[in-house]
Amino acid sequence: MNINTLSKTTADYESSKLAVALYPTSMRKEKDGKTTYHARPIFRNKLTMENIANDIIATGALEGYTPEQIISIWRVANNAMIDRILNGSIVDGGIGTFYARVTGSFDSEQSSFDSKKNAIDIAFRSGKTVKELSSQIQPVIAQGNSVKPEIISVTDIESGKSETLTPGGFLDITGKSILVTGNNADVGLYFENTEDEAKSVKIAATKIGVNTSTRIACVVPQLASGNYKIKIVTQFAKSTVPCKESKSQTFGNTFTVA
């Protein structure tokens, strides 16, 4: 069964491979200054019962059935399961167990259910078979739409050098996925003073003259004398939907303002 047949866009990872992207865990960084990462699957699409029914037909697993018949049986089974679950049964659905869950808090042991504070939901816990199959999968650590900017070169046009900055002059940056874009507050082009953070300057995307995924050109701001690092923070993504988390890269060279 090739799940790529259900996607209108070309996947940037192999079929049947689970791709995940890594994101920094902010809580750990705020706690002790260290940066760790957590993984999230890169979902290639959202499927319906109709999609799965067509998959089943394509594999020939249920000869003699139409997609409409499979969907009809599926809906009846779902309704029967929901009725049992919401009446207090734990239902083993094959891939795992389903059970009712009550959310929200209660003020005391005598409290009544309040629909404004409490809710009933159906929870799921994967079963032994799913866990065994999952343990055999080796996820592909990929960026998918969450690309990370890569600065290749930074040149001070006035001096023609890659180790100085000329305030009021022009700066040319080349790289990959360096388009400065997004609505997060930290998005921008940074001139970070390595000795005094108060002297650092951030340029917003609207102040950048040339702003593309491979090239940035802008006027060097009025910087105090000292040493600086160039950093890009962006929500740029391969798709039209920007990344939720900002991505950043700091160029390795140190630049001097006389």
Side-chain angles (χ1 to χ4, degrees):
M1 184 181 298
N2 183 2
I3 59 178
N4 276 335
T5 59
L6 299 176
S7 177
K8 294 181 180 180
T9 58
T10 302
D12 59 354
Y13 44 86
E14 296 179 39
S15 174
S16 77
K17 298 293 185 181
L18 178 65
V20 300
L22 301 181
Y23 298 90
T25 303
S26 58
M27 290 182 64
R28 173 64 188 271
K29 188 173 182 179
E30 292 172 359
K31 181 179 179 181
D32 54 19
K34 296 181 180 179
T35 300
T36 57
Y37 295 81
H38 61 278
R40 294 180 189 173
I42 300 173
F43 298 110
R44 62 179 75 191
N45 48 27
K46 183 177 180 180
L47 305 180
T48 65
M49 293 168 62
E50 286 77 7
N51 297 134
I52 302 301
N54 287 326
D55 258 2
I56 294 172
I57 294 298
T59 64
L62 289 177
E63 291 188 23
Y65 283 82
T66 65
E68 291 74 22
Q69 289 174 318
I70 294 174
I71 293 169
S72 178
I73 295 172
W74 198 338
R75 285 175 176 160
V76 171
N78 276 347
N79 289 337
M81 289 172 60
I82 291 171
D83 181 71
R84 286 285 194 169
I85 294 166
L86 294 182
N87 277 283
S89 296
I90 297 175
V91 175
D92 186 346
I95 63 174
T97 55
F98 299 86
Y99 53 93
R101 178 177 61 184
V102 181
T103 60
S105 61
F106 295 83
D107 297 329
S108 69
E109 294 179 353
Q110 287 74 41
S111 296
S112 299
F113 183 89
D114 184 350
S115 59
K116 294 181 180 179
K117 297 169 53 179
N118 311 113
I120 301 294
D121 194 10
I122 294 178
F124 170 80
R125 182 181 293 115
S126 57
K128 181 180 179 181
T129 301
V130 170
K131 291 179 179 178
E132 289 177 350
L133 289 172
S134 300
S135 67
Q136 300 171 20
I137 294 175
Q138 182 64 42
V140 178
I141 304 298
Q143 290 301 318
N145 288 336
S146 303
V147 294
K148 186 173 182 179
E150 179 185 351
I151 301 174
I152 296 175
S153 69
V154 178
T155 305
D156 182 74
I157 301 300
E158 295 300 311
S159 64
K161 298 179 180 180
S162 298
E163 63 275 353
T164 62
L165 293 174
T166 306
F170 288 94
L171 193 69
D172 190 73
I173 303 173
T174 64
K176 299 177 181 178
S177 306
I178 59 175
L179 174 69
V180 178
T181 183
N183 296 320
N184 287 354
D186 59 345
V187 169
L189 173 63
Y190 289 77
F191 296 80
E192 296 187 321
N193 190 289
T194 59
E195 293 93 12
D196 186 352
E197 186 178 347
K199 295 180 180 179
S200 298
V201 175
K202 170 189 170 184
I203 295 180
T206 54
K207 301 295 184 180
I208 300 174
V210 177
N211 188 17
T212 71
S213 62
T214 57
R215 181 171 178 257
I216 289 174
C218 67
V219 175
V220 179
Q222 294 302 316
L223 303 171
S225 60
N227 296 319
Y228 290 82
K229 289 283 190 179
I230 303 296
K231 182 174 77 171
I232 287 175
V233 179
T234 181
Q235 290 173 259
F236 174 70
K238 289 181 179 179
S239 68
T240 56
V241 179
C243 303
K244 291 183 179 179
E245 289 82 5
S246 302
K247 301 289 181 180
S248 67
Q249 195 210 10
T250 301
F251 192 53
N253 292 12
T254 299
F255 299 83
T256 301
V257 175

